[in-house]
């Protein structure tokens, strides 16, 4: 996955015509709050530096690389003498003056001329510190209380004004300072694990993603010695910056929501970018096309919020897709799920399976239908506690791995029962379950028992659902469920209640219960004077299929009740067949 992140970073740098250094640079006015810069100006003549004045100007997004701002956090000096002003004296002393402590560092990578320049600059600031601070405070007092400021150094050489980013010395120091924390655990003349090339320097602890850690000796190969941690994950300085850029691009442009869970889509170009279709490549190169795609209204199966999967299914297998579900808690990151190497050809299979389900049920099937029963084990709970099961099922669908149908039926029936007991939305819950099972069956992820079936009056109805109902017991259960639903409707019509529901044991009936249920339904229909020709045909078909099923069904209770519940849901469809037009139901 990390090489894919690096490729995205490399592409972003290329398209944005950036340098690797630009990866470290941030926009101090990114959120629009810091619209003003207070600049401490110096005149420069060779290595001679003199304080000039303090001025104020507006921030300009075109000058970000010249500002050379890079936040370091904390109260100590930053990477550069550029900082957002919190309190004038604290920022001036803590972020600007303190930055010059860099001159006392051992091994500082500067020559004698550069050292002399920095020392002269430091002296110029120190000698005029009171006046500079006074000017800073004056500008702030003259402005609105809502205004926020960035404090930085600026230089005049001849008639040319320069920001610190215009001076090679500061650009070099920014890279060196940033590398310092990585240099502690590094090695020379080793092969980078990202680009595969032998490099002068590789780092042993690159924490682009916070879930990578060597904070315990047991995580380190080679004798639990932290200094040898480069053996775990050697990364050269260039690849480290490309990883940073790639992560930033993905977080900003390729992060989507998946029913309460965030995921990052990370494309991997298997045989180089030039072999990828231009229209596909443009999505990842141009953020505007990505935004446009997000806002389009094409067919969906993955989420309610994006259509990119529908578009990518038409790509060839020169790319694969990685899905990274990651949870952030403060500075920590935890991988919830990583689905790697999903090819567009498999996406096409997923959409094909969805199209079949849509056609049968005349609805738009998405993962939301699955999430409906894999969200909370108890609807009274505040937070979702079935995310792990939902992600595991998602993983299996995207990887094409087999699924235990009994486990899925357990969750489906949990929600169906919850709704059924309250006599609320059980029809909708059953439909979610039926669509999901059909979807999984179309993908070949669940095993369905199939037996040769003779032609019967309702055979055409079952053919619509293909293998889902291709055994006598399943057909018998579905038809018994439909007959029971017709009885419940009759009761509700005549009495405003459904007292027969208590015989259904909250949809936890076993084989014995089912065998005893048919005569109860028939008797009750007789009592209501509603056991008409259509229902008699239905009861006859139920008897036929239950007899064909024989004894010892070896069917779990959840499965028995799922097919019975399917009948409750399909009662209208079955009734339309057994009753001719205008005949009383």
């Amino acid at each position: 996955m990390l090489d894919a992140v690096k490729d995205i970073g490399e592409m972003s740098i290329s398209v944005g015509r950036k340098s690797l250094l630009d990866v470290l640079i941030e926009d101090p006015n990114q959120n629009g709050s810091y619209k003003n810069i207070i600049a401490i100006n110096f005149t420069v003549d060779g290595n001679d530096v003199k304080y000039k004045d303090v001025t104020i100007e507006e921030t300009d997004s075109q000058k970000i690389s010249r500002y050379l701002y890079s936040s370091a956090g904390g109260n100590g000096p930053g990477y550069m003498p550029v900082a957002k002003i919190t309190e004038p004296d604290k920022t001036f002393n803590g972020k600007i003056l303190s930055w010059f402590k860099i001159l006392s560092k051992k091994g500082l990578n500067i020559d004698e001329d550069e050292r002399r320049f920095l020392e002269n600059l430091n002296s110029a600031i120190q000698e005029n510190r009171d006046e500079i601070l006074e000017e800073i405070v004056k500008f702030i007092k003259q402005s609105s209380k809502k205004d926020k400021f960035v404090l930085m150094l600026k230089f005049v050489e001849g008639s040319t004004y320069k920001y610190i980013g215009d001076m090679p010395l500061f650009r070099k120091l920014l890279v060196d300072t940033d590398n310092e924390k990585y240099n502690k655990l590094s090695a020379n003349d080793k092969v980078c694990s990202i680009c595969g090339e032998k490099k002068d320097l590789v780092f042993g602890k690159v924490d682009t993603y916070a879930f990578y850690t060597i904070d315990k000796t047991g995580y380190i190969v080679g004798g639990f010695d932290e200094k040898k941690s480069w053996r775990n994950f050697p990364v050269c300085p260039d690849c480290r910056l490309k990883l940073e850029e790639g992560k930033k691009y993905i977080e900003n442009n390729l992060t989507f929501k998946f029913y309460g869970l965030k995921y990052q889509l990370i494309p991997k170009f298997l045989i180089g970018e030039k072999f990828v279709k231009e229209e596909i490549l443009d999505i990842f190169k141009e953020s505007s096309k990505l935004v446009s795609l997000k806002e389009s209204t094409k067919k969906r199966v993955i989420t309610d919020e994006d259509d990119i999967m529908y578009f990518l299914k038409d790509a060839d297998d020169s790319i694969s897709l990685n899905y990274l579900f990651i949870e952030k808690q403060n500075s920590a990151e935890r991988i919830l799920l990583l689905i790697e190497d999903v090819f567009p050809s498999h996406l096409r299979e997923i959409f094909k399976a969805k199209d079949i389900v849509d056609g049968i049920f005349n609805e738009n099937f998405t993962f939301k239908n699955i999430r409906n029963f894999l969200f909370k084990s108890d609807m009274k709970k505040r937070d979702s506690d079935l995310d792990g099961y939902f992600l595991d099922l998602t993983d299996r669908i995207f990887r094409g791995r087999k699924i235990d149908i009994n486990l899925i039926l357990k969750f489906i029936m949990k929600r169906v029962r919850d709704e059924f007991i309250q006599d609320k939305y059980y029809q909708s819950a059953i439909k979610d379950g039926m669509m999901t099972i059909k979807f999984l069956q179309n993908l070949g992820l669940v095993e369905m028992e199939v037996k040769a079936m003779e032609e019967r009056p309702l055979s055409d109805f079952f053919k619509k659902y293909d293998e889902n109902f291709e055994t006598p017991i399943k057909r018998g259960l579905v038809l018994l469920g439909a007959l029971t639903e017709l009885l419940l409707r009759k009761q509700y019509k005549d009495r405003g209640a459904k007292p027969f529901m208590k015989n259904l044991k909250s949809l936890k009936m076993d084989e014995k219960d089912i065998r005893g249920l048919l005569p109860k339904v028939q008797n009750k229909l007789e009592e209501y004077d509603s056991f008409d020709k259509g229902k008699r045909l239905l009861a006859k078909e139920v008897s036929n299929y239950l007899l064909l099923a024989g004894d010892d069904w070896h069917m779990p209770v959840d499965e028995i009740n799922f097919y019975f519940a399917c009948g409750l849901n399909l009662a209208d469809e079955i009734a339309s067949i057994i009753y001719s037009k205008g005949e009383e139901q």
Side-chain angles (χ1 to χ4, degrees), residues 141-196:
K141 284 185 176 177
Q142 289 173 347
S143 304
S144 165
K145 289 184 178 178
K146 295 181 179 177
D147 290 342
K148 293 183 178 181
F149 303 87
V150 178
L151 184 62
M152 66 173 61
L153 307 184
K154 203 171 168 184
F155 306 95
V156 186
E157 283 188 286
S159 59
T160 305
Y161 271 91
K162 292 183 176 179
Y163 297 90
I164 58 173
D166 297 324
M167 305 179 77
L169 168 61
F170 288 100
R171 297 175 72 84
K172 180 177 68 173
L173 287 175
L174 175 57
V175 175
D176 289 348
T177 306
D178 182 67
N179 281 344
E180 271 182 13
K181 61 181 179 182
Y182 301 101
N183 283 333
K184 294 175 183 174
L185 300 173
S186 60
N188 300 111
D189 298 323
K190 304 298 178 187
V191 175
C192 170
S193 61
I194 301 294
C195 63

Side-chain angles (χ1 to χ4, degrees), residues 185-227:
L185 300 173
S186 60
N188 300 111
D189 298 323
K190 304 298 178 187
V191 175
C192 170
S193 61
I194 301 294
C195 63
E197 297 176 13
K198 190 172 183 179
K199 293 296 182 71
D200 294 338
L201 177 69
V202 294
F203 300 130
K205 186 183 179 183
V206 171
D207 53 358
T208 304
Y209 287 96
F211 51 75
Y212 174 72
T213 176
I214 53 172
D215 60 352
K216 293 182 174 59
T217 54
Y219 296 166
I220 304 169
V221 298
F224 309 113
D225 182 355
E226 191 180 55
K227 291 180 180 177

Side-chain angles (χ1 to χ4, degrees), residues 550-561:
D551 297 328
D552 299 326
W553 298 343
H554 302 295
M555 188 180 249
V557 169
D558 285 332
E559 190 175 5
I560 288 173
N561 288 272

Side-chain angles (χ1 to χ4, degrees), residues 354-412:
K354 164 205 163 54
D355 286 342
I356 294 171
V357 175
D358 290 355
I360 293 174
F361 294 90
N362 198 29
E363 283 202 17
N364 181 31
F365 175 79
T366 71
F367 273 62
K368 185 175 188 301
N369 299 92
I370 300 174
R371 185 62 161 164
N372 284 341
F373 57 83
L374 283 177
F375 186 52
K376 296 178 181 177
S377 60
D378 184 343
M379 295 310 292
K380 293 177 182 176
K381 288 189 174 183
R382 191 183 67 175
D383 301 318
S384 168
D385 60 343
L386 297 179
D387 291 347
Y389 290 103
F390 180 58
L391 288 174
D392 178 67
L393 184 62
T394 302
D395 180 54
R396 289 174 182 276
I397 290 170
F398 276 85
R399 291 178 194 262
R401 295 165 56 211
K402 293 290 183 183
I403 293 167
D404 181 355
I405 191 171
N406 290 323
L407 182 64
I408 297 302
L409 289 176
K410 176 183 175 184
F411 288 111
I412 291 172

Side-chain angles (χ1 to χ4, degrees), residues 66-272:
R66 301 175 68 191
Y67 295 155
L68 220 59
Y69 172 76
S70 181
S71 61
N75 296 321
Y79 295 137
M80 286 286 107
V82 185
K84 294 176 180 177
I85 296 178
T86 51
E87 297 177 41
D89 56 340
K90 284 187 177 178
T91 303
F92 179 61
N93 291 313
K95 298 291 185 182
I96 305 298
L97 291 180
S98 295
W99 181 83
F100 288 92
K101 291 179 181 176
I102 193 173
L103 289 166
S104 61
K105 281 185 179 177
K106 291 182 179 178
L108 187 63
N109 183 26
I110 56 175
D111 59 28
E112 283 305 313
D113 282 346
E114 291 168 335
R115 177 175 289 278
R116 195 173 304 119
F117 171 80
L118 290 178
E119 288 173 346
N120 290 340
L121 176 59
N122 185 29
S123 298
I125 296 179
Q126 294 288 356
E127 289 166 6
N128 298 279
R129 58 190 301 171
D130 293 339
E131 182 183 341
I132 293 171
L133 185 57
E134 189 177 322
E135 290 295 310
I136 294 170
V137 172
K138 187 174 75 177
F139 276 119
I140 293 176
K141 284 185 176 177
Q142 289 173 347
S143 304
S144 165
K145 289 184 178 178
K146 295 181 179 177
D147 290 342
K148 293 183 178 181
F149 303 87
V150 178
L151 184 62
M152 66 173 61
L153 307 184
K154 203 171 168 184
F155 306 95
V156 186
E157 283 188 286
S159 59
T160 305
Y161 271 91
K162 292 183 176 179
Y163 297 90
I164 58 173
D166 297 324
M167 305 179 77
L169 168 61
F170 288 100
R171 297 175 72 84
K172 180 177 68 173
L173 287 175
L174 175 57
V175 175
D176 289 348
T177 306
D178 182 67
N179 281 344
E180 271 182 13
K181 61 181 179 182
Y182 301 101
N183 283 333
K184 294 175 183 174
L185 300 173
S186 60
N188 300 111
D189 298 323
K190 304 298 178 187
V191 175
C192 170
S193 61
I194 301 294
C195 63
E197 297 176 13
K198 190 172 183 179
K199 293 296 182 71
D200 294 338
L201 177 69
V202 294
F203 300 130
K205 186 183 179 183
V206 171
D207 53 358
T208 304
Y209 287 96
F211 51 75
Y212 174 72
T213 176
I214 53 172
D215 60 352
K216 293 182 174 59
T217 54
Y219 296 166
I220 304 169
V221 298
F224 309 113
D225 182 355
E226 191 180 55
K227 291 180 180 177
K228 294 178 181 175
S229 60
W230 63 269
R231 294 180 179 179
N232 283 38
F233 180 36
V235 180
C236 69
D238 285 358
C239 284
R240 186 189 77 76
L241 292 176
K242 290 172 184 174
L243 283 174
E244 291 286 346
E245 179 67 12
K247 182 186 180 187
K248 196 185 306 178
Y249 183 89
I250 291 164
E251 286 183 339
N252 291 335
N253 300 288
L254 291 171
T255 297
F256 302 93
K257 288 183 180 176
F258 188 66
Y259 305 109
L261 303 164
K262 279 189 177 180
Y263 78 92
Q264 298 175 2
L265 177 68
I266 305 172
K268 183 177 180 180
F269 306 105
L270 298 177
I271 50 177

